[in-house]
Amino acid sequence: KDRKMRRASSVLRVGRAVRCYSSNQGSYSQGQNQSQQNATGSHQSQKGVHQDSEGESQVPKAAQEQKQEPSMRSLKGQKVGNNQWKFKFEQPFKLHKFEQGPPMEITTNKEELIHFYTQMQRIRLTENASDSLYKKKMIRGFLHIYSGQEAVCIGMEAAITKEDHVITAYRDHGHAIGRGDTPKRVIAELLGKKGGCSEGKGGSMHMYSREFNFYGGNGIVGAQVPVGAGLAFAAKTLKTGKVAIASYGDGASNQGQVFEAFNMSYLWKLPVIYVCENNKYGMGTEAFRSSASTEYYKRGDYIPGIHVDGMDVLAVKAASQFAVEHARSGKGPVVMEMETYRYLGHSMSDPGTSYRTQDEVGTMRKTRDPISQVRERLLVNDIATKDEILEINKQVKAEIDEAVQYATDNEFPPEADLYSHIYVEEVPVRGVELSNSYVPGKQTSQQKQ
């Protein structure tokens, strides 16, 4: 009986006529003609949504009945010079305590768009390979796939330098690659191999790179946020001029330590940007069921905030540039909400189908995919040819295949590594038994055996 009631409740929840993707004016429709929608990655119609008295996004009946093909307006740009194209954003940025926000258009070029496409495709195929390796039981423990959210980390990277600091949650593979690490090192880390970016000690949730100022994934929900404030505190104290980006999910937004970090960073005007990657679901709980306010960009209260279309890499870049300039100039922190979507479950143990419909996921893939949007911009505006795109796909696939082989062949770290990287200097480490304690230059009894 309980199962039937839960199933009925789920049907009622997902059976709403339209799944709203919040924007000032917009939603993403879940129509019955979804099978007719193509994979252009472009915007759907954004008109006709209002808020009811309960704060639920509603769409007029006429809009529900008139299911339209996705709009191409946001993908068609204007050539403004030699190898320069200007694109206008269809979705306005929502602002909190900012009198003026990022510009509603951006100028880019072929090289940047190709770079965005290649990097996001690199992340997507790395995650596909990770999914496969996990199912083969070559990856153990937890695994959180980033597919669908690639525009967030890649767009932000375009607004900062490698000298700036980035820290995120446990869905961190994409951020590691965005920072400059390689699929080889990322996949090797997933397999627990010595050649991994954390030398096989971190696994999926603890990617790390001192070289790229990436302070990793963090397994404790929300724990990275105050650490990000600490990175910004160090940057301000040492007067390096660097900024810190601390990313977290909508599921972590209600953690007390998040608000404690907000408070301190505002008091001390720290150069930190808090990025809420709102992928709609905290594990299997839809945002509105866990958060009294789902306007995460306003959560900083006294801290200015921006709401961004996190599926559009150009919008992410423009908003991130705006936020970085604010923080770097000494004006203090910014809270950014990147409204995005994850295609797969929370982790590999979650099929991602019990709390949302496959139609919902399929619609997002067909109409809002961040990689498809860049591809269509390249093709619709004759910036690149289909052959060029296919060649990039071919090269990235070969790179990921090589990375998988490298990781598979790589060695596991030796037992002696159990005692390394505990302290900055090599010092004795007491084991459970004195005979198994580590003394620099001496072997433990187990090592002697």
Coordinates of all heavy atoms in Angstrom, one line a residue, residues 21 28 41 43 74-75 87-89 91 93 103 105-121 123-124 146 148-160 178 308-321 336 338-340 368-378:
Y21 N 11.5 25.6 -16.1 CA 12.9 26.0 -15.9 C 12.9 27.5 -15.6 O 12.6 28.3 -16.5 CB 13.7 25.7 -17.2 CG 15.2 26.0 -17.1 CD1 16.1 25.0 -16.8 CD2 15.6 27.3 -17.4 CE1 17.4 25.3 -16.8 CE2 17.0 27.5 -17.3 CZ 17.9 26.5 -17.1 OH 19.2 26.8 -17.0
Y28 N 10.7 25.6 -19.6 CA 10.9 24.6 -20.6 C 9.7 23.7 -20.6 O 9.4 23.0 -19.6 CB 12.2 23.8 -20.3 CG 13.4 24.6 -20.3 CD1 14.1 24.9 -19.2 CD2 13.9 25.1 -21.5 CE1 15.2 25.7 -19.2 CE2 15.0 25.9 -21.6 CZ 15.7 26.2 -20.4 OH 16.8 26.9 -20.5
G41 N 19.7 22.1 -29.4 CA 20.3 22.7 -28.2 C 19.9 24.1 -28.1 O 20.4 24.9 -27.3
H43 N 17.0 27.5 -27.5 CA 16.0 27.9 -26.5 C 14.6 27.6 -27.0 O 14.3 27.7 -28.1 CB 16.1 29.4 -26.2 CG 17.3 29.8 -25.4 ND1 17.3 29.8 -24.1 CD2 18.5 30.2 -25.8 CE1 18.5 30.2 -23.6 NE2 19.2 30.4 -24.7
S74 N 18.7 32.6 -30.1 CA 19.9 32.8 -29.3 C 21.1 32.2 -30.0 O 22.2 32.5 -29.6 CB 19.7 32.2 -28.0 OG 19.5 30.8 -28.1
L75 N 20.9 31.4 -31.0 CA 22.1 30.8 -31.7 C 22.6 31.5 -32.9 O 23.7 31.4 -33.3 CB 21.7 29.3 -32.1 CG 21.2 28.4 -31.0 CD1 20.9 27.0 -31.5 CD2 22.3 28.4 -29.9
F87 N 26.9 37.6 -30.0 CA 25.7 36.9 -29.7 C 24.9 37.6 -28.6 O 25.5 38.0 -27.6 CB 26.0 35.4 -29.3 CG 26.6 34.6 -30.4 CD1 28.0 34.5 -30.5 CD2 25.7 33.9 -31.2 CE1 28.5 33.7 -31.5 CE2 26.3 33.1 -32.2 CZ 27.6 33.0 -32.4
K88 N 23.6 37.6 -28.7 CA 22.7 38.2 -27.7 C 22.1 37.1 -26.9 O 21.8 36.0 -27.4 CB 21.6 39.1 -28.3 CG 22.2 40.3 -29.0 CD 21.0 41.2 -29.6 CE 21.6 42.4 -30.2 NZ 20.5 43.3 -30.7
F89 N 22.0 37.4 -25.6 CA 21.4 36.4 -24.7 C 19.9 36.5 -24.6 O 19.4 37.6 -24.5 CB 22.0 36.5 -23.3 CG 23.5 36.4 -23.2 CD1 24.2 37.4 -22.6 CD2 24.1 35.3 -23.8 CE1 25.6 37.3 -22.5 CE2 25.5 35.2 -23.7 CZ 26.3 36.2 -23.1
Q91 N 17.9 34.9 -22.4 CA 17.4 34.9 -21.0 C 18.1 36.0 -20.3 O 19.4 36.1 -20.2 CB 17.7 33.6 -20.3 CG 16.8 32.5 -20.8 CD 16.9 31.3 -19.9 OE1 17.1 31.4 -18.7 NE2 16.7 30.1 -20.4
F93 N 19.8 38.1 -17.2 CA 20.3 37.8 -15.9 C 19.4 38.4 -14.8 O 19.0 39.5 -14.9 CB 21.7 38.4 -15.8 CG 22.7 37.9 -16.8 CD1 23.1 38.7 -17.9 CD2 23.3 36.7 -16.7 CE1 24.0 38.3 -18.8 CE2 24.2 36.2 -17.7 CZ 24.5 37.0 -18.7
P103 N 26.6 42.5 -19.4 CA 26.0 42.9 -20.7 C 25.1 41.8 -21.2 O 25.4 40.6 -21.0 CB 27.2 43.2 -21.6 CG 28.3 42.4 -20.9 CD 28.0 42.4 -19.5
E105 N 24.9 40.8 -24.3 CA 25.5 40.3 -25.5 C 27.0 40.1 -25.2 O 27.6 40.7 -24.3 CB 25.3 41.3 -26.7 CG 25.9 42.7 -26.5 CD 25.5 43.6 -27.6 OE1 24.5 43.4 -28.2 OE2 26.3 44.6 -27.8
I106 N 27.6 39.3 -26.1 CA 29.0 39.0 -25.9 C 29.7 38.8 -27.3 O 29.0 38.3 -28.2 CB 29.2 37.7 -25.0 CG1 30.7 37.5 -24.6 CG2 28.7 36.5 -25.7 CD1 30.9 36.5 -23.6
T107 N 30.9 39.2 -27.4 CA 31.6 39.0 -28.6 C 32.6 37.9 -28.4 O 33.4 37.8 -27.4 CB 32.4 40.3 -29.1 OG1 31.4 41.3 -29.2 CG2 33.1 40.1 -30.4
T108 N 32.7 37.0 -29.4 CA 33.6 35.8 -29.3 C 34.2 35.6 -30.7 O 34.0 36.3 -31.6 CB 32.8 34.6 -28.8 OG1 33.8 33.5 -28.6 CG2 31.7 34.1 -29.7
N109 N 35.0 34.5 -30.8 CA 35.6 34.2 -32.0 C 35.6 32.7 -32.2 O 35.2 31.9 -31.3 CB 37.0 34.7 -32.1 CG 37.9 34.3 -30.9 OD1 38.0 33.1 -30.6 ND2 38.5 35.3 -30.2
K110 N 36.1 32.2 -33.4 CA 36.1 30.8 -33.7 C 36.9 30.0 -32.7 O 36.5 28.9 -32.3 CB 36.5 30.6 -35.1 CG 36.6 29.1 -35.6 CD 37.0 29.0 -37.0 CE 37.0 27.5 -37.4 NZ 37.4 27.3 -38.8
E111 N 38.1 30.5 -32.4 CA 39.0 29.8 -31.6 C 38.4 29.5 -30.2 O 38.5 28.4 -29.7 CB 40.4 30.5 -31.4 CG 41.2 30.6 -32.6 CD 40.7 31.5 -33.7 OE1 39.9 32.4 -33.4 OE2 40.9 31.2 -34.9
E112 N 37.7 30.5 -29.6 CA 37.1 30.3 -28.3 C 36.0 29.4 -28.4 O 35.9 28.5 -27.5 CB 36.7 31.7 -27.8 CG 36.1 31.6 -26.4 CD 35.7 32.9 -25.8 OE1 34.9 33.6 -26.3 OE2 36.3 33.3 -24.7
L113 N 35.1 29.5 -29.4 CA 34.0 28.6 -29.5 C 34.5 27.1 -29.7 O 33.9 26.2 -29.1 CB 33.1 29.0 -30.6 CG 32.3 30.3 -30.4 CD1 31.5 30.7 -31.6 CD2 31.3 30.1 -29.2
I114 N 35.5 26.9 -30.5 CA 36.1 25.6 -30.7 C 36.6 25.1 -29.4 O 36.5 23.9 -29.1 CB 37.2 25.6 -31.8 CG1 36.5 25.9 -33.2 CG2 38.0 24.4 -31.8 CD1 35.7 24.7 -33.7
H115 N 37.3 26.0 -28.7 CA 37.9 25.6 -27.4 C 36.8 25.1 -26.4 O 36.9 24.1 -25.8 CB 38.7 26.7 -26.8 CG 39.1 26.5 -25.4 ND1 40.1 25.6 -25.0 CD2 38.7 27.0 -24.2 CE1 40.3 25.5 -23.7 NE2 39.4 26.4 -23.2
F116 N 35.7 25.9 -26.4 CA 34.6 25.6 -25.5 C 34.0 24.2 -25.9 O 33.7 23.3 -25.0 CB 33.5 26.6 -25.6 CG 33.8 27.9 -24.9 CD1 33.1 29.1 -25.2 CD2 34.8 28.0 -23.9 CE1 33.4 30.3 -24.6 CE2 35.1 29.2 -23.3 CZ 34.4 30.3 -23.6
Y117 N 33.8 24.0 -27.2 CA 33.2 22.8 -27.7 C 34.1 21.6 -27.3 O 33.6 20.6 -26.8 CB 32.9 22.8 -29.2 CG 32.4 21.6 -29.7 CD1 31.0 21.3 -29.7 CD2 33.2 20.6 -30.3 CE1 30.4 20.2 -30.2 CE2 32.6 19.4 -30.8 CZ 31.3 19.2 -30.8 OH 30.7 18.0 -31.2
T118 N 35.4 21.7 -27.6 CA 36.3 20.7 -27.4 C 36.4 20.3 -25.9 O 36.4 19.1 -25.5 CB 37.7 21.0 -27.9 OG1 37.6 21.4 -29.3 CG2 38.7 19.9 -27.7
Q119 N 36.5 21.3 -25.0 CA 36.6 21.0 -23.6 C 35.4 20.4 -23.0 O 35.4 19.4 -22.2 CB 36.9 22.3 -22.8 CG 38.3 22.8 -22.9 CD 39.2 21.9 -22.0 OE1 39.6 20.8 -22.3 NE2 39.5 22.4 -20.8
M120 N 34.2 20.8 -23.4 CA 33.0 20.2 -22.9 C 32.8 18.8 -23.5 O 32.3 17.9 -22.8 CB 31.8 21.1 -23.3 CG 31.7 22.4 -22.5 SD 30.1 23.3 -22.6 CE 30.1 23.8 -24.3
Q121 N 33.2 18.6 -24.7 CA 33.1 17.3 -25.3 C 34.1 16.4 -24.6 O 33.8 15.2 -24.3 CB 33.4 17.3 -26.8 CG 33.2 16.0 -27.5 CD 31.7 15.8 -27.8 OE1 30.9 16.1 -27.0 NE2 31.4 15.2 -29.0
I123 N 35.0 16.6 -21.4 CA 34.4 16.2 -20.2 C 33.3 15.2 -20.3 O 33.2 14.2 -19.6 CB 33.8 17.5 -19.5 CG1 35.0 18.4 -19.1 CG2 33.0 17.1 -18.2 CD1 34.5 19.8 -18.6
R124 N 32.5 15.4 -21.3 CA 31.3 14.5 -21.6 C 31.8 13.1 -21.8 O 31.3 12.1 -21.3 CB 30.5 15.0 -22.7 CG 29.3 14.2 -23.1 CD 28.2 14.3 -22.0 NE 27.7 15.6 -21.8 CZ 26.8 16.2 -22.5 NH1 26.2 15.6 -23.5 NH2 26.4 17.5 -22.3
Y146 N 29.1 14.4 -14.2 CA 28.9 15.8 -14.4 C 28.1 16.1 -15.7 O 27.9 17.3 -16.0 CB 30.2 16.5 -14.4 CG 30.2 18.0 -14.2 CD1 29.8 18.5 -13.0 CD2 30.7 18.9 -15.2 CE1 29.8 19.9 -12.8 CE2 30.7 20.2 -15.0 CZ 30.3 20.8 -13.8 OH 30.3 22.1 -13.5
G148 N 25.9 17.2 -18.5 CA 24.8 18.2 -18.6 C 25.2 19.5 -18.0 O 24.7 20.6 -18.3
Q149 N 26.2 19.5 -17.1 CA 26.6 20.7 -16.4 C 27.9 21.3 -16.9 O 28.5 22.3 -16.3 CB 26.7 20.4 -14.9 CG 25.4 19.9 -14.3 CD 25.6 19.7 -12.8 OE1 24.9 18.7 -12.3 NE2 26.3 20.5 -12.1
E150 N 28.4 20.9 -18.0 CA 29.8 21.2 -18.5 C 29.9 22.7 -18.7 O 31.0 23.3 -18.6 CB 30.1 20.5 -19.8 CG 30.2 19.0 -19.7 CD 28.8 18.3 -19.9 OE1 27.8 19.0 -20.0 OE2 28.8 17.0 -20.1
A151 N 28.9 23.4 -19.1 CA 29.0 24.9 -19.4 C 29.4 25.7 -18.2 O 30.0 26.7 -18.4 CB 27.7 25.4 -20.0
V152 N 29.0 25.2 -17.0 CA 29.3 25.9 -15.8 C 30.8 26.1 -15.6 O 31.4 27.2 -15.5 CB 28.7 25.3 -14.6 CG1 29.1 26.0 -13.3 CG2 27.1 25.3 -14.8
C153 N 31.5 24.9 -15.5 CA 33.0 25.0 -15.2 C 33.8 25.6 -16.4 O 34.7 26.3 -16.1 CB 33.5 23.6 -14.8 SG 33.5 22.4 -16.1
I154 N 33.4 25.3 -17.6 CA 34.1 25.8 -18.7 C 33.9 27.3 -18.9 O 34.8 28.1 -19.2 CB 33.8 25.0 -20.0 CG1 34.2 23.5 -19.9 CG2 34.5 25.6 -21.2 CD1 35.6 23.3 -19.5
G155 N 32.7 27.7 -18.7 CA 32.4 29.2 -18.9 C 33.1 30.0 -17.8 O 33.6 31.1 -18.1
M156 N 33.1 29.5 -16.6 CA 33.8 30.2 -15.5 C 35.3 30.2 -15.7 O 36.0 31.3 -15.4 CB 33.6 29.5 -14.1 CG 32.1 29.6 -13.6 SD 31.9 29.1 -11.9 CE 32.6 27.4 -11.9
E157 N 35.9 29.2 -16.3 CA 37.3 29.2 -16.5 C 37.7 30.3 -17.5 O 38.8 30.8 -17.5 CB 37.8 27.8 -17.1 CG 37.9 26.7 -16.1 CD 39.0 27.0 -15.1 OE1 40.0 27.7 -15.4 OE2 38.9 26.5 -13.9
A158 N 36.8 30.6 -18.4 CA 37.1 31.6 -19.4 C 37.2 33.0 -18.8 O 37.6 34.0 -19.4 CB 36.0 31.6 -20.5
A159 N 36.7 33.1 -17.5 CA 36.7 34.4 -16.8 C 37.8 34.6 -15.8 O 37.9 35.7 -15.2 CB 35.3 34.6 -16.2
I160 N 38.6 33.5 -15.5 CA 39.6 33.6 -14.5 C 40.9 33.1 -15.1 O 41.0 32.8 -16.3 CB 39.2 32.7 -13.3 CG1 39.0 31.2 -13.7 CG2 38.0 33.2 -12.6 CD1 38.8 30.3 -12.5
G178 N 38.6 21.2 -16.6 CA 38.5 22.6 -16.9 C 39.6 23.4 -16.4 O 40.1 24.3 -17.0
V308 N 22.0 32.9 -13.5 CA 22.6 32.7 -14.8 C 22.1 31.5 -15.5 O 21.8 30.5 -14.8 CB 24.2 32.6 -14.8 CG1 24.8 32.6 -16.2 CG2 24.8 33.7 -13.9
D309 N 21.9 31.5 -16.8 CA 21.5 30.3 -17.6 C 22.8 29.5 -17.6 O 23.7 29.7 -18.4 CB 21.0 30.7 -19.0 CG 20.8 29.5 -19.8 OD1 20.8 28.4 -19.3 OD2 20.5 29.7 -21.0
G310 N 22.8 28.5 -16.8 CA 24.0 27.6 -16.7 C 24.2 26.6 -17.8 O 25.1 25.8 -17.7
M311 N 23.2 26.6 -18.7 CA 23.4 25.7 -19.9 C 24.0 26.4 -21.1 O 24.2 25.8 -22.1 CB 22.0 25.2 -20.3 CG 21.3 24.4 -19.1 SD 22.1 22.9 -18.5 CE 21.5 21.7 -19.8
D312 N 24.2 27.7 -21.0 CA 24.8 28.5 -22.0 C 26.2 28.9 -21.6 O 26.4 29.8 -20.8 CB 23.9 29.7 -22.3 CG 24.4 30.5 -23.5 OD1 25.6 30.3 -24.0 OD2 23.7 31.4 -24.0
V313 N 27.2 28.4 -22.2 CA 28.6 28.7 -21.8 C 29.0 30.1 -22.0 O 29.8 30.7 -21.2 CB 29.6 27.7 -22.6 CG1 29.7 28.1 -24.1 CG2 31.0 27.8 -21.9
L314 N 28.4 30.8 -23.0 CA 28.7 32.2 -23.2 C 28.1 33.1 -22.1 O 28.7 34.0 -21.7 CB 28.2 32.6 -24.6 CG 28.9 32.0 -25.8 CD1 28.4 32.6 -27.1 CD2 30.4 32.3 -25.7
A315 N 26.9 32.7 -21.7 CA 26.2 33.5 -20.6 C 27.0 33.3 -19.3 O 27.2 34.2 -18.5 CB 24.8 33.0 -20.5
V316 N 27.5 32.0 -19.1 CA 28.3 31.8 -17.9 C 29.6 32.6 -17.9 O 30.0 33.2 -16.9 CB 28.6 30.3 -17.8 CG1 29.6 30.0 -16.6 CG2 27.4 29.5 -17.6
K317 N 30.2 32.7 -19.1 CA 31.4 33.5 -19.2 C 31.2 34.9 -18.9 O 31.9 35.6 -18.1 CB 32.0 33.3 -20.6 CG 33.3 34.2 -20.8 CD 33.7 34.3 -22.2 CE 34.8 35.3 -22.4 NZ 35.3 35.4 -23.8
A318 N 30.1 35.5 -19.5 CA 29.8 36.9 -19.3 C 29.5 37.2 -17.9 O 30.0 38.2 -17.3 CB 28.6 37.3 -20.2
A319 N 28.7 36.4 -17.2 CA 28.3 36.6 -15.8 C 29.5 36.5 -14.9 O 29.7 37.2 -14.0 CB 27.2 35.7 -15.4
S320 N 30.4 35.5 -15.2 CA 31.6 35.2 -14.4 C 32.6 36.4 -14.5 O 33.2 36.7 -13.5 CB 32.2 33.9 -14.8 OG 31.3 32.8 -14.6
Q321 N 32.7 36.9 -15.7 CA 33.6 38.1 -15.9 C 33.1 39.2 -15.0 O 33.9 39.9 -14.4 CB 33.7 38.5 -17.3 CG 34.5 37.6 -18.2 CD 34.4 38.0 -19.7 OE1 33.4 38.5 -20.2 NE2 35.5 37.8 -20.4
M336 N 26.5 33.5 -7.1 CA 26.0 33.2 -8.4 C 25.2 31.9 -8.4 O 25.6 30.9 -7.8 CB 27.2 33.1 -9.5 CG 28.0 34.3 -9.6 SD 29.3 34.1 -10.9 CE 28.3 34.1 -12.3
M338 N 24.0 29.2 -11.0 CA 24.0 28.7 -12.3 C 22.9 27.6 -12.5 O 23.0 26.5 -11.9 CB 25.4 28.0 -12.6 CG 26.6 28.9 -12.4 SD 26.7 30.1 -13.7 CE 28.3 30.9 -13.3
E339 N 21.8 28.0 -13.2 CA 20.7 27.1 -13.3 C 21.1 26.1 -14.4 O 21.2 26.4 -15.6 CB 19.4 27.8 -13.6 CG 18.2 26.9 -13.5 CD 17.0 27.7 -13.1 OE1 17.0 28.9 -13.0 OE2 15.9 27.0 -12.9
T340 N 21.2 24.8 -14.0 CA 21.7 23.8 -15.0 C 20.9 22.5 -14.8 O 19.8 22.6 -14.2 CB 23.3 23.6 -14.7 OG1 23.8 22.7 -15.7 CG2 23.6 23.2 -13.3
R368 N 18.3 21.8 -24.6 CA 19.2 22.7 -23.8 C 20.6 22.2 -23.6 O 21.3 22.8 -22.8 CB 18.5 22.9 -22.4 CG 17.1 23.5 -22.4 CD 17.2 24.9 -22.9 NE 18.0 25.8 -22.1 CZ 18.8 26.7 -22.6 NH1 18.9 26.9 -23.8 NH2 19.5 27.4 -21.8
D369 N 21.0 21.2 -24.3 CA 22.3 20.6 -24.1 C 23.4 21.7 -24.4 O 23.4 22.3 -25.4 CB 22.5 19.4 -25.0 CG 23.9 18.8 -24.8 OD1 24.0 18.1 -23.7 OD2 24.8 18.9 -25.6
P370 N 24.3 21.9 -23.4 CA 25.3 22.9 -23.6 C 26.3 22.7 -24.7 O 26.7 23.7 -25.4 CB 26.0 22.9 -22.2 CG 25.8 21.6 -21.7 CD 24.4 21.2 -22.1
I371 N 26.6 21.5 -25.0 CA 27.5 21.1 -26.1 C 26.8 21.4 -27.4 O 27.4 22.0 -28.4 CB 28.0 19.7 -26.0 CG1 28.7 19.5 -24.6 CG2 29.0 19.4 -27.1 CD1 29.2 18.1 -24.4
S372 N 25.6 20.9 -27.5 CA 24.8 21.1 -28.8 C 24.6 22.6 -29.1 O 24.7 23.0 -30.3 CB 23.5 20.5 -28.7 OG 23.6 19.1 -28.6
Q373 N 24.5 23.4 -28.1 CA 24.3 24.9 -28.3 C 25.5 25.5 -29.0 O 25.4 26.3 -29.9 CB 24.0 25.6 -27.0 CG 22.6 25.3 -26.4 CD 22.3 26.3 -25.3 OE1 22.3 27.5 -25.5 NE2 22.0 25.7 -24.1
V374 N 26.7 25.1 -28.5 CA 27.9 25.6 -29.1 C 28.1 25.1 -30.5 O 28.5 25.8 -31.4 CB 29.2 25.2 -28.2 CG1 30.5 25.7 -28.9 CG2 29.1 25.9 -26.9
R375 N 27.8 23.8 -30.7 CA 27.9 23.2 -32.0 C 27.0 23.9 -33.0 O 27.4 24.2 -34.1 CB 27.6 21.7 -32.0 CG 27.7 21.0 -33.3 CD 27.2 19.6 -33.3 NE 25.8 19.6 -33.2 CZ 25.1 18.9 -32.2 NH1 25.8 18.3 -31.2 NH2 23.8 18.9 -32.1
E376 N 25.8 24.2 -32.6 CA 24.8 24.8 -33.5 C 25.3 26.3 -33.8 O 25.1 26.8 -34.9 CB 23.4 24.8 -32.9 CG 22.8 23.4 -32.8 CD 22.8 22.7 -34.2 OE1 22.4 23.3 -35.2 OE2 23.3 21.6 -34.3
R377 N 25.8 26.9 -32.8 CA 26.3 28.3 -33.0 C 27.4 28.3 -34.1 O 27.5 29.1 -35.0 CB 26.9 28.9 -31.7 CG 25.8 29.5 -30.8 CD 26.4 30.3 -29.7 NE 25.4 31.1 -29.0 CZ 25.0 30.8 -27.8 NH1 25.5 29.8 -27.1 NH2 24.1 31.6 -27.2
L378 N 28.3 27.3 -34.0 CA 29.4 27.2 -35.0 C 28.8 26.9 -36.4 O 29.3 27.5 -37.4 CB 30.3 26.0 -34.6 CG 31.2 26.3 -33.4 CD1 31.9 25.0 -32.9 CD2 32.3 27.3 -33.8

